[in-house]
Amino acid sequence: MTGRRSSHGPFLSTLTRSVRRTLSPVGVLLACASLAAGCGVVPGATGGSGDGSVTVMTWAPENTPATNKPGMPAMARAYARWVNSHGGVAGRKLNVLTCNEGNDSVGAAKCARRAVKENAVAVVGSYSQYSDSFFPPLEGAGIPYIGGYGVTTTEFTRALSYPVNGGQPALLAGLGKELAPHCGPVTLIRPDSIAGDELPGLLNAGLRAGGHEPAHDQRAAEDATEYSGQADQALRQSSAEPARTGCVIPALGERTNIFMDSFRRARDAYPQVRTAAVLGSVDQTVIDASGGKSGPYEGSYLTGWYPVAGDSRWEPMKKVINEAAFGDNRVDPQDAGVQTTWIAYTVLRTVLEQIGDGEVSASTVRRALDGGLEVRTGGLTPPLRWRLSDLLASTGLARLTNADVSLQTVRQGRLVPATKGFVNVGKTLEGAG
């Protein structure tokens, strides 16, 4: 998440602008330009070849100084290899194009234009904070965006977006609501970026629902190599009331573990505080790297979209990874991006099975999704549907269909469920304006 910080105002204003853009007429589709290196394709994929195969695209940032999600395109390629080795979907081979959007608005737009040029019927299981760059080319060609990571609120307002989780809005609202009765002063450390600007209002919606005052909003460079000054500031703010134990919430994506290294060195100079996080910033590998049960996350609350990685409901995904990822360590079953891509391709497979031997195009994929198709994900999410009657428009996030989060905690250095089942934060999000 790089780029100049937005001057957006409150969360509701951001949503209002996004909805307004969605409802305005789509301009003439940009001419397809030649693309920079960084895009790949499963061997043998020839989009639009007329051979009865289905072409889709998955993109994510790779090899950048900030947040990277290489596991998402790697999972997409592994899924295609596995599906194709088992006869394809409804008799069709799956061609997966991949693209490195580079944490850059120009790169995101180039990836989208390549999807158009290659006649992709959908963009599936992808990550980009530059939704204002990639949505216009997709919308001009009518290409649906299925199962985006949910890093921006725009993904929950555009008509061609079909999210599978509640994105950052649900994670932060759920975390705030859970922490409200347990925390004194709360400090959120978040990227000084466009996507980062949306986070405080979401966390504060959850805190407010629990009767808590707003969090301290502390910006930080997402690509920093150390955070000693930020750690001192966060500890000072969160320990300002000795009678109440404060909470520190780092939400720096891939740089969260670097912040926690600085935090761990500084914390002995301050009264005790708790830590908390959202999945995507912290997973089991980060907990292990920060000291496990002796580290700063012991006892922390986390919110995620899905069950913990050790849950048996992930076994089908792990089977595919074992059979088709060929030891690619980017495809980590504990990674929330990998998990989101798996669920997004589950949606795509359900769509293609419903279409059967009919025509597969961006238009028929959209019609299936808009027509009440229900997608079962083996309990990893509630049943997913995108009919107007299933969407939670009252939250201000017009495309939100799944507002469930899982509450997790760190015990003995392991990430385990804090409660049984999911918690729905739809009502909490209604207060995010």
Side-chain angles (χ1 to χ4, degrees):
M1 289 181 280
T2 59
R4 180 169 54 84
R5 187 166 60 85
S6 167
S7 59
H8 289 176
F11 175 59
L12 187 58
S13 298
T14 301
L15 291 179
T16 301
R17 282 193 293 273
S18 297
V19 171
R20 192 176 294 130
R21 284 194 298 269
T22 302
L23 296 177
S24 63
V26 178
V28 177
L29 178 63
L30 297 172
C32 292
S34 60
L35 300 179
C39 294
V41 59
V42 172
T46 53
S49 65
D51 60 0
S53 60
V54 175
T55 298
V56 297
M57 177 176 276
T58 296
W59 62 56
E62 301 184 56
N63 303 314
T64 78
T67 297
N68 295 287
K69 292 293 179 184
M72 298 180 75
M75 179 72 229
R77 289 191 289 267
Y79 186 87
R81 284 191 292 267
W82 181 82
V83 160
N84 292 341
S85 71
H86 290 78
V89 183
R92 293 182 172 92
K93 294 291 186 181
L94 186 62
N95 295 332
V96 174
L97 307 169
T98 62
C99 194
N100 179 4
E101 62 85 73
N103 264 325
D104 178 78
S105 61
V106 174
K110 284 182 176 180
C111 288
R113 290 198 296 270
R114 184 178 182 218
V116 174
K117 182 179 180 180
E118 299 283 0
N119 296 320
V121 302
V123 173
V124 186
S126 296
Y127 181 108
S128 176
Q129 74 153 324
Y130 292 100
S131 48
D132 287 348
S133 296
F134 70 73
F135 267 121
L138 297 185
E139 289 169 338
I143 297 174
Y145 187 70
I146 301 173
Y149 188 84
V151 69
T152 69
T153 55
T154 307
E155 294 174 53
F156 300 94
T157 62
R158 305 296 275 239
L160 267 64
S161 183
Y162 299 85
V164 299
N165 59 43
Q168 294 287 0
L171 292 184
L172 283 162
L175 186 63
K177 187 175 181 181
E178 179 64 26
L179 293 179
H182 304 292
C183 293
V186 175
T187 299
L188 172 69
I189 303 92
R190 51 86 168 183
D192 189 8
S193 68
I194 295 169
D197 288 345
E198 297 177 346
L199 306 186
L202 299 166
L203 177 67
N204 289 335
L207 290 171
R208 185 165 55 247
H212 198 287
E213 66 271 17
H216 297 284
D217 177 20
Q218 187 173 321
R219 300 185 181 96
E222 192 182 27
D223 57 356
T225 56
E226 65 88 31
Y227 290 98
S228 56
Q230 296 288 345
D232 281 321
Q233 183 181 350
L235 283 160
R236 186 167 55 251
Q237 290 173 157
S238 295
S239 62
E241 299 180 24
R244 298 196 301 161
T245 301
C247 292
V248 174
I249 305 172
L252 294 167
E254 200 170 81
R255 286 298 195 271
T256 295
N257 60 335
I258 298 175
F259 172 85
M260 292 308 294
D261 284 341
S262 299
F263 178 87
R264 181 169 49 184
R265 290 191 293 270
R267 70 182 304 172
D268 288 344
Y270 296 89
Q272 181 182 6
V273 298
R274 295 186 178 97
T275 55
V278 295
L279 266 292
S281 290
V282 174
D283 58 21
Q284 188 61 55
T285 59
V286 172
I287 294 166
D288 293 342
S290 63
K293 65 180 180 181
S294 62
Y297 286 110
E298 183 66 21
S300 294
Y301 281 108
L302 291 86
T303 49
W305 300 302
Y306 318 121
V308 294
D311 192 284
S312 62
R313 285 170 284 188
W314 290 112
E315 288 306 313
M317 180 187 73
K318 292 176 181 177
K319 181 175 184 289
V320 170
I321 292 172
N322 290 336
E323 291 184 8
F326 305 135
D328 187 342
N329 59 15
R330 294 173 300 173
V331 189
D332 184 348
Q334 299 179 115
D335 179 74
V338 169
Q339 294 170 351
T340 299
T341 299
W342 166 258
I343 291 171
Y345 273 88
T346 300
V347 173
L348 177 69
R349 180 170 188 158
T350 305
V351 169
L352 295 179
E353 288 173 343
Q354 173 165 299
I355 293 174
D357 59 2
E359 177 195 1
V360 178
S361 64
S363 177
T364 59
V365 169
R366 288 198 325 272
R367 283 203 297 269
L369 291 166
D370 293 337
L373 175 71
E374 182 175 275
V375 178
R376 299 274 177 170
T377 62
L380 296 171
T381 68
L384 300 172
R385 289 193 304 192
W386 296 270
R387 295 180 309 180
L388 289 178
S389 59
D390 299 311
L391 301 173
L392 304 177
S394 59
T395 64
L397 301 163
R399 299 298 296 171
L400 184 66
T401 188
N402 174 14
D404 283 6
V405 298
S406 62
L407 298 177
Q408 304 170 21
T409 189
V410 183
R411 294 188 191 134
Q412 295 296 303
R414 305 303 300 173
L415 197 55
V416 298
T419 59
K420 186 176 181 180
F422 293 100
V423 175
N424 188 282
V425 296
K427 291 291 185 184
T428 304
L429 287 170
E430 289 179 10

